[in-house]
Amino acid sequence: CSAINACETSSGGCSAKAECRRTTPGNRVCVCNAGYTGDGIVCIEINPCLENNGGCDRNAECTQIGPNQAVCNCLKGYSGDGKRCTYISLCSQNNGGCSEFAICNDTELTERTCTCKPNYIGDGFKCRGNIFQELLRNSNTSKFYFHLEALSIKDIAGPGPFTLFVPRTDILNTDPRVKDWIAKGVMAQVLRYHMVGCANLLYNDLTRMTNITSLQGDLIHISYSQNSLVLNDKAEIIVSDAVGTNGVIHVINQILVP
C-alpha cells in the first residue's frame, strides 16, 4: 500500500494563490502565498493601504501595486519620500510670485495671499511706491528721474498728490536743447513745467480739461481729439495712468517748454 498524496490532484483543492502541503496520508493543509490572506481555499490579495495608510505619511497617498505591496507619494503641497512628507511653503520660493514690495502669506495648501507693503499700492502681484520711485523703475521715465536727482528736485517725493507729464527717455536723450537748458541753468524750470501739484489727474479727468497750472507757474494747454490727448498742441500722451501712492505719471512724446 502507498500513502495517498492529497495535493496531487487539483492542488488539493487549494487556491491558485496558495501552497498545498501534505500532512498525514490522505490529508493536507492549504497555506496562502506571501502577500495573500485567507484559509488557503480562498486567498485574497492583501492591500497594505487599508491599514495605517500603508505606513505612508498622513500627508501622502498610498497606492497598492501588488500583493501586500504599495508606494507612498506625497500629496500636492508637500515634498518627501512618501514615508515622510514636509509642507512646501509657496512663499519660500520667489516670494510666492508676489511683488518684491509685497508680503506673501501662506493661507492653505497651494494657496497664498500677496499684500503690498506699507507705503505701496497695488494688488500684491504688482506694487507701486510714490511716483518719484516709480520714475526710476521704468526705462521710459528713468531719464527724467536722473535729471530731477541731478538738480536735487524732490517736490514729487512729498505726499502730493501730483500729476506728471514725463517725456520719454529717448526724447530727453536726443533733444539738443536739453544741454543748452542745463548750461543756462533753466533745466529745473523746464522739469517743473511737467509737474502739476495738488491733483491726481487720470487720463479721463484730463479729457474734460483745457488748462492746468504747472509747478513752474505757467499753464499747460490740453486738447482732446480723435481719441488722443495733446499738451500745448505738440506733446501727445502715449502711456497713461501709471498710478503711485502720491500721484500719477503720464508719458509724453515731446518735451514741454514753458
Side-chain angles (χ1 to χ4, degrees):
C1 294
S2 60
I4 296 173
N5 183 353
C7 293
E8 195 170 29
T9 304
S10 298
S11 195
C14 299
S15 166
K17 302 299 183 182
E19 179 188 358
C20 182
R21 296 177 184 174
R22 293 172 60 187
T23 54
T24 56
N27 294 304
R28 56 92 179 97
V29 292
C30 300
V31 181
C32 291
N33 296 336
Y36 293 84
T37 185
D39 60 5
I41 305 300
V42 176
C43 294
I44 300 171
E45 193 172 283
I46 297 171
N47 182 353
C49 296
L50 297 179
E51 187 175 342
N52 196 31
N53 200 28
C56 302
D57 188 274
R58 64 189 182 91
N59 293 306
E61 180 181 23
C62 179
T63 305
Q64 183 186 6
I65 58 172
N68 206 22
Q69 295 177 312
V71 293
C72 303
N73 294 296
C74 293
L75 298 174
K76 186 176 181 180
Y78 293 85
S79 66
D81 60 5
K83 297 290 185 181
R84 184 176 180 181
C85 300
T86 306
Y87 175 63
I88 301 170
S89 168
L90 291 178
C91 295
S92 65
Q93 298 178 352
N94 194 33
N95 201 30
C98 303
S99 164
E100 61 181 310
F101 303 113
I103 299 168
C104 179
N105 284 307
D106 288 293
T107 53
E108 55 184 88
L109 289 182
T110 70
E111 296 292 336
R112 53 89 180 86
T113 60
C114 302
T115 308
C116 292
K117 293 177 180 178
N119 300 319
Y120 287 87
I121 59 171
D123 59 7
F125 297 98
K126 186 174 183 180
C127 298
R128 297 177 296 277
N130 66 47
I131 54 177
F132 192 60
Q133 295 169 307
E134 293 305 304
L135 286 173
L136 183 59
R137 294 176 61 195
N138 187 327
S139 61
N140 274 334
T141 58
S142 57
K143 188 65 177 182
F144 193 85
Y145 170 89
F146 291 126
H147 279 301
L148 294 176
E149 277 283 274
L151 295 169
S152 297
I153 299 174
K154 305 290 186 182
D155 308 53
I156 57 172
F162 301 99
T163 300
L164 288 191
F165 302 105
V166 181
R168 209 172 54 213
T169 288
D170 61 317
I171 303 297
L172 287 171
N173 282 336
T174 57
D175 194 315
R177 296 174 297 175
V178 171
K179 288 184 179 179
D180 292 336
W181 291 329
I182 294 172
K184 294 175 181 176
V186 298
M187 190 61 182
Q189 295 177 47
V190 174
L191 294 174
R192 285 196 172 94
Y193 186 53
H194 294 77
M195 307 175 190
V196 176
C198 304
N200 186 44
L201 300 172
L202 299 176
Y203 192 91
N204 282 341
D205 300 321
L206 294 169
T207 61
R208 297 187 290 270
M209 305 178 78
T210 54
N211 291 291
I212 47 177
T213 304
S214 69
L215 287 185
Q216 179 266 347
D218 287 350
L219 289 177
I220 299 172
H221 177 66
I222 304 171
S223 56
Y224 180 69
S225 63
Q226 298 180 342
N227 296 321
S228 293
L229 267 174
V230 179
L231 309 180
N232 291 351
D233 298 322
K234 291 184 179 180
E236 182 181 348
I237 294 179
I238 52 176
V239 180
S240 63
D241 295 352
V243 178
T245 56
N246 65 339
V248 60
I249 299 170
H250 304 286
V251 180
I252 57 178
N253 63 357
Q254 295 288 332
I255 299 174
L256 301 177
V257 182

